[in-house]
Amino acid sequence: MTDTNPLPLHEFHQNLGARFTSVNGADAVADFGDALAEHAALRATAGVLDMSFRSRLCLVGADRVRILHGQVTNDVKKLCVGEGCYAALVTAKGKMESDLNIFVLQDELLLDFEPGLTQTVSQRLEKFIVADDVQAVDVSPHYGLLSVQGPQAEAVVRAVGLFGVPPSGGPGGEINASRVNAELPTGPLSFIKATDATLGEIYLMNHPRLAPVISAGRAGLQVGPTGTGFDMFVPVNSLAAVADKLIAAAKSVGGRACGWTAFEIARIEAGIPRVGVDMDETNIPLECGIEDRAVSYTKGCYIGQEVINRIHSIGHVNRELRGLRLADDLKTLPAHGDKLFKDGKEVGHITSAIASPALKANIALGYVRRGANAVGAELTLRSATGDTPAKIAERPIVR
């Protein structure tokens, strides 16, 4: 139990054997007793995660699109209802404040982002609201977030019976055809809505949070072309009922309920950076490996655009986030901030590190300076265990 407000489903998870942790001060499920099995489910079948600890804001008012468009790095104005995008919120100097998943609802913009940043993001947006018709509303007390990730995520979502047609009945029970969408959302961060008389309005987002998926095949570890995953924004009063359906559906395909520990392992294996760990106020988006997803160079003005466009025109940054293969015999994983050296000169530092069950190896993410960050480059890690070798690897880290 953390000293923060508990998850709405804290007792529900506790009855399933959950152990809890704190993610940036927010209550979250660490695991359900077997983090390695949960990690395997995320990679091979499907895992159901309660991500209601994440921050959620809605922007309402006639000027909501114009205001947000002028604040973030991606193009919000081009989105239609039912579409979304990933973006960064940066300072006037181009430094990261947050990343955001932005969804265009009928009368509001839904923002999904890292826990603990609600006040930071709200204050940043409100700072530039003068006489504009827009208001930021914290909707986390009203809507929770459940996520299904893994190769069988689509089958799990269909089996619940709220979205799409399940293969054959499934754990969702009898289907009311009047409220079932024939197709699931297919575009990145696109979404659909279902209205159920009992459960209320539920939004289903196409959101593979662990993309690109890494799968184990006969030829060894391979990178799949796309990831598979969906988020469900569910009214808090209906969270337990929907979570129960999702977990039952996941078990029917060999999956299970999963916690934060398993998710973090899979995230680092996939080479995906996280705000507060791999991205912070010392970074610009172009260093973080999110430029292709998060930055538009044709959208027009926004806070920090001048700096980001100038660096983009130069054609390179001085350091970039890289994957790293560490020594197999490390007794202790490196800590955040541990230094990397090349020929005795400091060239970078570690941000995240794990012992990868899939690779059976110690791996990490970290920033490495240009000139020393080519794939295959040999570095030296200086940590609590002394000096050990480290090697630049591709992201996702597959070998």
Side-chain angles (χ1 to χ4, degrees):
M1 183 70 179
T2 68
D3 57 2
T4 61
N5 292 328
L7 283 168
L9 294 187
H10 189 99
E11 186 175 349
F12 174 92
H13 297 310
Q14 199 165 39
N15 291 335
L16 294 178
R19 295 184 291 192
F20 296 89
T21 187
S22 176
V23 180
N24 204 17
D27 183 30
V29 174
D31 60 64
F32 291 92
D34 192 343
L36 292 182
E38 295 164 29
H39 169 263
L42 288 170
R43 291 176 61 95
T45 54
V48 178
L49 301 123
D50 185 353
M51 306 194 85
S52 300
F53 56 85
R54 288 179 60 83
S55 301
R56 288 176 295 290
L57 286 176
C58 270
L59 299 186
V60 297
D63 298 322
R64 63 189 182 276
V65 172
R66 179 178 59 80
I67 289 295
L68 187 63
H69 184 81
Q71 295 291 311
V72 300
T73 57
N74 215 338
D75 192 337
V76 180
K77 286 185 177 179
K78 73 176 182 180
L79 300 175
C80 299
V81 173
E83 296 179 336
C85 71
Y86 175 70
L89 190 69
V90 300
T91 67
K93 295 183 178 181
K95 301 293 187 177
M96 292 287 299
E97 286 192 279
S98 179
D99 62 352
L100 305 166
N101 298 305
I102 301 168
F103 303 100
V104 181
L105 280 59
Q106 185 66 48
D107 299 308
E108 52 203 324
L109 296 173
L110 172 61
L111 312 181
D112 159 56
F113 51 100
E114 284 290 323
L117 295 182
T118 299
Q119 185 175 10
T120 298
V121 173
S122 295
Q123 290 179 347
R124 159 60 194 272
L125 295 175
E126 290 168 357
K127 178 181 178 181
F128 294 93
I129 298 172
V130 183
D132 307 283
D133 180 13
V134 60
Q135 182 181 5
V137 180
D138 182 3
V139 294
S140 57
H142 310 293
Y143 264 77
L145 172 57
L146 302 174
S147 189
V148 186
Q149 301 293 322
Q152 295 297 316
E154 181 175 334
V156 171
V157 169
R158 289 185 181 278
V160 168
L162 290 169
F163 299 93
V165 180
S168 57
E174 184 178 348
I175 304 303
N176 181 344
S178 65
R179 60 174 172 80
V180 173
N181 296 275
E183 298 297 331
L184 300 183
T186 56
L189 298 184
S190 63
F191 65 93
I192 55 177
K193 180 179 76 172
T195 302
D196 181 88
T198 302
L199 301 174
E201 291 185 348
I202 298 176
Y203 293 86
L204 179 73
M205 279 66 176
N206 185 322
H207 192 181
R209 289 182 177 268
L210 297 172
V213 168
I214 309 169
S215 59
R218 290 183 180 179
L221 289 166
Q222 300 176 338
V223 182
T226 59
T228 306
F230 296 90
D231 285 349
M232 278 192 189
F233 290 90
V234 182
V236 167
N237 292 339
S238 301
L239 268 178
V242 176
D244 198 50
K245 287 176 177 287
L246 287 173
I247 294 169
K251 288 180 177 178
S252 73
V253 297
R256 59 172 62 208
C258 295
W260 182 247
T261 301
F263 181 85
E264 274 291 90
I265 293 171
R267 176 189 72 81
I268 295 168
E269 288 172 340
I272 299 170
R274 184 163 72 87
V275 165
V277 179
D278 310 291
M279 301 185 286
D280 60 28
E281 66 280 356
T282 67
N283 302 120
I284 60 172
L286 282 64
E287 298 172 335
C288 305
I290 64 171
E291 180 183 8
D292 290 346
R293 294 188 295 138
V295 181
S296 168
Y297 291 105
T298 60
K299 61 164 288 186
C301 295
Y302 62 89
I303 304 300
Q305 181 204 30
E306 182 179 349
V307 174
I308 289 176
N309 279 16
R310 184 170 67 246
I311 295 172
H312 175 70
S313 67
I314 293 172
H316 64 79
V317 289
N318 291 328
R319 62 177 181 175
E320 289 184 278
L321 190 71
R322 288 290 187 262
L324 294 154
R325 285 294 300 263
L326 308 179
D328 292 335
D329 58 354
L330 277 179
K331 296 180 180 179
T332 304
L333 288 171
H336 183 281
D338 280 352
K339 305 301 183 183
L340 295 163
F341 293 82
K342 175 73 172 177
D343 298 328
K345 181 180 178 180
E346 183 181 325
V347 294
H349 67 275
I350 298 292
T351 58
S352 297
I354 57 160
S356 166
L359 295 169
K360 295 181 173 55
N362 298 314
I363 64 174
L365 299 177
Y367 287 94
V368 185
R369 291 190 63 81
R370 188 167 62 97
N373 63 14
V375 172
E378 302 280 355
L379 306 178
T380 299
L381 166 66
R382 185 164 297 167
S383 66
T385 58
D387 287 2
T388 54
K391 186 176 182 179
I392 302 289
E394 294 179 347
R395 291 187 302 122
I397 305 169
V398 297
R399 59 182 184 273

